[in-house]
Every structure is written in structure tokens, then in C-alpha cells.
Amino acid sequence: GTGKTRLAETLREPASKYNGLFVTGKFDLNLRHQPYSGISNACAEICGAVTKLQRQEPSRAKEICDDIEQSLESELYLLVETIPGLAEIIDLPSLATKRVSLSSSST
């Protein structure tokens, strides 16, 4: 009732003007038993946009996925439980292989 959603919506146009992505995540009181549901919903929107981008601009989508992998590394497996869409855009088996090879080379 205070205009937070309306205020946030004013960012949609500038985000798309600069080739950005505007996502929303609403914290629903009825979903209070699901921690971080609003953030999870927003992240699911991002994953959906990346999935769409994989069909339209595969090289750009790969850059984004690589950035996500690099930024989140060890947390990815935990985040997939909350944001299942991550498993659709990130190659988790190859990530596991990378982790194993990195850990064996450091010993």
C-alpha cells in the first residue's frame, strides 16, 4: 500500500534501455514457511531469461552462465535446492568435475 511495487516498476524501462534485466520477487506472507521465496522467484526469472537467451544468443548466454559459475562456485549445489532453474542453465556435472580436478591438484 506504500507504492513499493510501483516505485520498483519505474526501473523496468531504464534497465531494458541499457540491455539489463528487470526481475521481481514478491515476499508473500502465505509463503512465510518457505524462506527466501521472493528471492528464489526473482532468481527463477533470471534463469528463465537465460534459458531464452540460450536459444537466441548462445554465446552471450554462455558468458552469463560462466560468470554465474565463477561467482557462486561452491554454493551452486546448495542454491540449486532453492533455485531449481539454476540446474537448467549451469552444467552441474562438469562443475563437479572441475571441483574434483581442482581439489586433487591442490594436494
Side-chain angles (χ1 to χ4, degrees):
T2 60
K4 296 180 295 291
T5 300
R6 184 84 168 132
L7 175 64
E9 285 291 329
T10 64
L11 300 173
R12 183 180 299 276
E13 189 177 321
S16 56
K17 179 181 175 183
Y18 291 100
N19 204 22
L21 179 62
F22 180 86
V23 298
T24 59
K26 189 163 182 90
F27 292 93
D28 186 342
L29 193 56
N30 294 323
L31 297 176
R32 65 178 168 254
H33 64 282
Q34 294 178 347
Y36 310 111
S37 64
I39 294 170
S40 177
N41 290 338
C43 291
E45 278 190 52
I46 293 170
C47 292
V50 171
T51 299
K52 183 178 176 182
L53 194 60
Q54 286 173 328
R55 292 186 297 270
Q56 297 170 344
E57 295 180 56
S59 62
R60 178 68 182 125
K62 182 171 179 356
E63 284 179 38
I64 293 169
C65 292
D66 289 347
D67 287 346
I68 291 171
E69 273 186 42
Q70 194 171 46
S71 297
L72 300 176
E73 286 185 34
S74 60
E75 289 86 10
L76 266 174
Y77 283 96
L78 295 172
L79 288 171
V80 165
E81 293 177 25
T82 307
I83 309 161
L86 274 174
E88 296 172 21
I89 63 169
I90 302 295
D91 185 8
L92 292 174
S94 87
L95 184 63
T97 305
K98 287 180 198 173
R99 289 177 68 198
V100 168
S101 67
L102 286 175
S103 64
S104 64
S105 66
S106 64
T107 56

